[in-house]
Amino acid sequence: GIKESSRYIWKIARRDPNLNKLRVKRFLPKVNAEYLALWKDRAATNPEMANGINTEEALALLSQLKGVQKSEEGGVHVINGTYFKDLHGGQEAVIKKAFHRSAMGESRVYHVTNDIRFEVLAFHLDRFLGTNLVPPVVRLNQDTIAQLKISASPITMKKAARNPANLMDLSHLKILDILLGNVDREMPGNLLSTERGKLVGIDFDLCYPSPWAVPEAVEHHLQIENVLLEPDRKVGKYGATPGIFSRQVLNRLRILDREKILGLAQEGEIELKEKEIESLLLYRQLILQRVEEWKKQYGTEFIEID
C-alpha cells in the first residue's frame, strides 16, 4: 500500500544498508514469474546451436586441425597469439596459442602468459555442469587450442545484467569464473550474445585457481549487479540480486569431486596441478554454501529453479 511504498522510498533516500535485501525480496518473485520459461530455454541451449550445428559436429570439425604442424597457417591474425581460421561447412575456428606479453598498468610492468589448459577445462566443466555457455574446444598440441567461433556479438556484463532474461546464464557463468579463478571476464569482447539472446562465455586463458578464498568475496562475485528490478522507478533503478540457478546445475556441482575433476582434465587431454584441484573443490564448497544461505533468506523457489 501507500504506507509501505513511502517507507521503501524513505529507505532509498536514507541509503539504508539493508536496502538491497528489501529490493530483492520485493521484486525477485515478479522477475521469476515473468522470466522463468525463458531462463529454462536459454539454459538448455548450447552456443554452437547459433551456428546451426551440434556439439559432436563442432568437435569433429575442430579435431581435423589436430596433427597440423602450423594450425594457424592460412588464418587471420587477431591479437597476440589468436587467429581466425576457416573450417568446412562455413564454420570458423579460433586458434589460440600460448603467448607471453607485457603490459603497463598502475605505474608498473605486468608480465602475463595465458594458460590454454583452462580454455579446455572450462568447456568440459561447462558441459559436465550443464551450464552450456562455453563453445566447443579441442587441444591441438602442447601450446595450441582450437575453439569454434560462435555467431554472436560482444556485450558488456553491465548491459547483459540490465536484462533480467539473462539472470540465469549470468549466474551460471559466475559459477564457472569463480571455480576457475577467471580474472578476465570484464574485458571487452569476453562475453557474447547470440541473435536469440543466449550468452556465451569465452577467453578462460587468464584463470588463476588458488586454494585461498574469502567467503565474502565469493558472495560478492556470485551476485548479479546492475539488474533492473524496478522498471517503473527512477530512484534506485539498478541493483544487485542473488544468483538464479538451475537445480540441475547445482546438483551437478554438488557431485563435482576430485575424481570427476581429474576425469574432465583427462577428457580434455590436460594435466592439473594439485593446488588447482584444491582450489576448484574449495570454491565449489563456498559457492554451494552461499546458495544455501540465499535459499534460507529468500526462499528456495527463487534461487534454485526446477
Side-chain angles (χ1 to χ4, degrees):
I2 295 174
K3 188 178 290 187
E4 181 189 355
S5 296
S6 298
R7 282 199 299 265
Y8 183 75
I9 293 171
W10 177 241
K11 285 181 182 294
I12 292 175
R14 290 175 53 224
R15 300 187 182 276
D16 191 301
N18 293 316
L19 174 62
N20 189 58
K21 292 179 182 178
L22 293 171
R23 296 172 80 253
V24 171
K25 284 184 176 180
R26 182 168 182 176
F27 294 101
L28 190 58
K30 298 177 184 179
V31 173
N32 272 52
E34 184 174 353
Y35 290 96
L36 183 59
L38 187 54
W39 287 342
K40 290 182 178 181
D41 178 66
R42 289 191 179 175
T45 304
N46 291 328
E48 54 271 25
M49 291 179 180
N51 288 29
I53 60 175
N54 60 37
T55 308
E56 291 72 23
E57 290 169 331
L59 291 173
L61 285 171
L62 295 169
S63 294
Q64 292 177 5
L65 296 173
K66 282 189 172 184
V68 177
Q69 190 170 8
K70 290 187 177 181
S71 52
E72 73 276 13
E73 195 168 37
V76 177
H77 181 248
V78 184
I79 187 173
N80 299 328
T82 304
Y83 303 78
F84 291 160
K85 184 170 181 176
D86 290 336
L87 299 170
H88 298 300
Q91 305 291 335
E92 283 186 90
V94 180
I95 309 294
K96 186 173 286 189
K97 302 178 74 68
F99 189 87
H100 182 80
R101 66 182 186 274
S102 299
M104 188 74 181
E106 299 179 358
S107 302
R108 58 173 290 185
V109 176
Y110 292 87
H111 301 285
V112 179
T113 301
N114 61 323
D115 194 332
I116 59 168
R117 292 179 305 147
F118 292 109
E119 296 279 18
V120 180
L121 183 60
F123 166 66
H124 288 278
L125 183 61
D126 170 69
R127 297 313 164 92
F128 169 76
L129 294 176
T131 45
N132 301 327
L133 293 162
V134 183
V137 58
V138 299
R139 187 172 191 177
L140 302 182
N141 55 48
Q142 187 67 23
D143 65 352
T144 311
I145 58 102
Q147 186 168 52
L148 186 70
K149 185 173 182 287
I150 300 299
S151 178
S153 303
I155 185 171
T156 64
M157 289 286 284
K158 188 173 183 178
K159 184 175 180 180
R162 286 176 179 170
N163 183 353
N166 294 325
L167 289 185
M168 184 175 280
D169 270 356
L170 283 173
S171 300
H172 291 169
L173 185 59
K174 295 263 186 180
I175 288 178
L176 292 174
D177 284 339
I178 293 171
L179 285 175
L180 295 171
N182 186 13
V183 301
D184 204 31
R185 178 59 55 214
E186 298 289 347
M187 287 296 292
N190 287 356
L191 181 66
L192 309 176
S193 177
T194 70
E195 189 175 310
R196 294 186 61 190
K198 171 69 180 177
L199 295 184
V200 182
I202 59 173
D203 285 348
F204 286 86
D205 56 339
L206 291 183
C207 286
Y208 300 100
S210 174
W212 174 88
V214 178
E216 292 79 9
V218 172
E219 176 183 1
H220 171 73
H221 289 300
L222 207 53
Q223 290 184 110
I224 311 298
E225 297 179 346
N226 299 298
V227 178
L228 180 58
L229 288 172
E230 306 159 78
D232 299 325
R233 286 195 188 278
K234 293 182 180 179
V235 181
K237 188 175 182 182
Y238 297 106
T241 185
I244 308 293
F245 307 96
S246 161
R247 177 162 295 159
Q248 177 186 357
V249 168
L250 291 179
N251 284 339
R252 282 285 182 163
L253 188 60
R254 290 178 181 115
I255 64 171
L256 181 67
D257 56 14
R258 177 182 298 272
E259 183 179 351
K260 287 186 170 56
I261 291 171
L262 290 172
L264 294 175
Q266 187 175 13
E267 284 180 35
E269 301 178 5
I270 62 172
E271 293 184 4
L272 295 175
K273 300 172 185 175
E274 181 60 29
K275 72 171 185 177
E276 293 165 346
I277 298 171
E278 290 178 11
S279 178
L280 276 158
L281 292 172
L282 176 58
Y283 279 98
R284 164 200 163 276
Q285 175 187 340
L286 290 172
I287 290 169
L288 290 172
Q289 178 182 315
R290 183 66 253 176
V291 169
E292 291 304 313
E293 290 170 359
W294 277 337
K295 284 162 59 177
K296 291 177 183 176
Q297 188 173 0
Y298 300 110
T300 298
E301 68 275 19
F302 300 125
I303 304 298
E304 186 172 327
I305 307 297
D306 265 324

